[in-house]
Amino acid sequence: MSGNRITVTSALPYIHGVPHLGNMAGSVLPAELLHRYFDVRGKDSIFICGGDVHGTPLELEALELEEDPQDIKDEKTRKVKEAYESLNVDFTIFSDTHSEYNRKQTHEMFEELYCNGLIDEKTQIMPYCRDDERFLPDRYIEGECPHCGGLARGDQCDDCGKLVEPTEIENAECQICGGSRIEFEETDHLFLDLTKFDDELKEWLEEEKPVPENMLNQVRHDIEEAEERSITRDQNWGFEVPTERVNKRIDEENLELEKLDPEKYDEKVLYVWFDAPIGYIGFTREYFEEYRSNKKNASSSGSADEKWKKHWDTEG
Ligand SMILES: [Zn+2]
Ligand SMILES: [Zn+2]
């Protein structure tokens, strides 16, 4: 929120399964109420939202049904949108995180982070299914939790909530073929270094007071605990790693950075954890560039691209 322009949003509904009243009451309804309140007050407010569509469950479902994840995503996003609209939720835009606009936004931000030295490549040891001849990231592997014997999925136990190393999972099963011919192999991934933002974030917290007092300690704690987080996965469903544009910029600006190996990253995608929060910006951009620019009086001042930047970036 900046000056008289207000962007309202809610947690992005996860597009897997049918939305229930809890999603509506817990996140979308409060945002809808706020949006309507601003409308009544005559404020320039938009309500942007969309489906969170990347991630393991949708890809697993597509593999099981032998369908294109894109088709499943389209169908489910449509249903979720219709369900909310049947309850009279007045989204200004409801998109999804696989949209072209979010791709553009995500790739721009990736390039900026990489070219500023904030993304590093590291080698990880990950489970690999010999029968499917592929890595098994996140929930692609399930088995017994080494701590409580409950159901461990990927790197977490659903029963005791503890973090689990995939190598520690007992009787591990591949969620694609159901087999257990699982080995652990090395694979390279890209990590976003969150530790480099500590000081700026803490300063911003003190000066701008963007969070309520009772949340402050939690946020401070999260900043202190922040570490390097991997933002790529050995998967097919997701946004491609933009190797070409990054390498081009490294050349053009003579940056002292390692280039990204296109062949290696061809087999990987950006992790949902990276592109989903960028969705809020991507949807706002989509609204301004796609919809508002088509309206009659949109040509009053500046291009659609300038308008979205003005809405999102500038003070006043
Ligand atoms: Zn457990
Ligand atoms: Zn398998």
Side-chain angles (χ1 to χ4, degrees), residues 1-53:
M1 177 165 155
S2 114
N4 290 320
R5 293 187 306 275
I6 300 159
T7 307
V8 178
T9 188
S10 68
L12 303 183
Y14 190 58
I15 302 294
H16 188 68
V18 180
H20 50 81
L21 281 174
N23 303 125
M24 177 68 186
S27 67
V28 174
L29 186 60
E32 170 68 5
L33 287 172
L34 189 65
H35 178 223
R36 286 183 184 224
Y37 166 77
F38 286 133
D39 261 4
V40 171
R41 295 279 309 272
K43 299 276 185 188
D44 182 5
S45 129
I46 55 172
F47 182 7
I48 54 142
C49 200
D52 179 2
V53 300

Side-chain angles (χ1 to χ4, degrees), residues 60-114:
L60 276 175
E61 187 178 343
L63 281 167
E64 203 175 303
L65 300 172
E66 294 181 7
E67 279 182 32
D68 186 343
Q70 173 104 27
D71 294 339
I72 298 179
K73 181 274 288 181
D74 286 345
E75 172 69 9
K76 291 197 171 193
T77 307
R78 191 182 55 76
K79 278 191 184 154
V80 169
K81 186 172 183 242
E82 279 173 9
Y84 284 122
E85 284 176 349
S86 73
L87 293 167
N88 270 334
V89 176
D90 180 26
F91 296 116
T92 312
I93 179 170
F94 188 91
S95 184
D96 69 66
T97 55
H98 196 69
S99 75
E100 272 314 302
Y101 284 92
N102 199 40
R103 172 182 269 117
K104 194 164 150 189
Q105 188 65 35
T106 300
H107 282 170
E108 280 178 13
M109 291 175 85
F110 178 93
E111 178 191 319
E112 213 50 36
L113 290 165
Y114 193 87

Side-chain angles (χ1 to χ4, degrees), residues 147-199:
H147 307 290
C148 74
L151 177 64
R153 291 170 148 186
D155 59 0
Q156 198 171 355
C157 172
D158 279 1
D159 291 315
C160 68
K162 282 190 183 151
L163 289 180
V164 176
E165 283 295 324
T167 46
E168 299 172 337
I169 296 177
E170 286 161 36
N171 299 318
E173 254 183 27
C174 164
Q175 293 307 293
I176 301 168
C177 68
S180 56
R181 296 212 307 153
I182 296 169
E183 288 175 349
F184 287 85
E185 293 196 7
E186 289 190 343
T187 174
D188 290 341
H189 282 288
L190 296 170
F191 286 70
L192 175 60
D193 190 356
L194 294 169
T195 64
K196 290 192 180 146
F197 302 102
D198 286 22
D199 293 340

Side-chain angles (χ1 to χ4, degrees), residues 258-272:
E258 286 281 328
K259 283 195 186 168
L260 290 168
D261 178 352
E263 227 165 272
K264 185 195 289 179
Y265 285 98
D266 209 27
E267 308 273 296
K268 304 172 200 281
V269 294
L270 293 172
Y271 183 38
V272 54

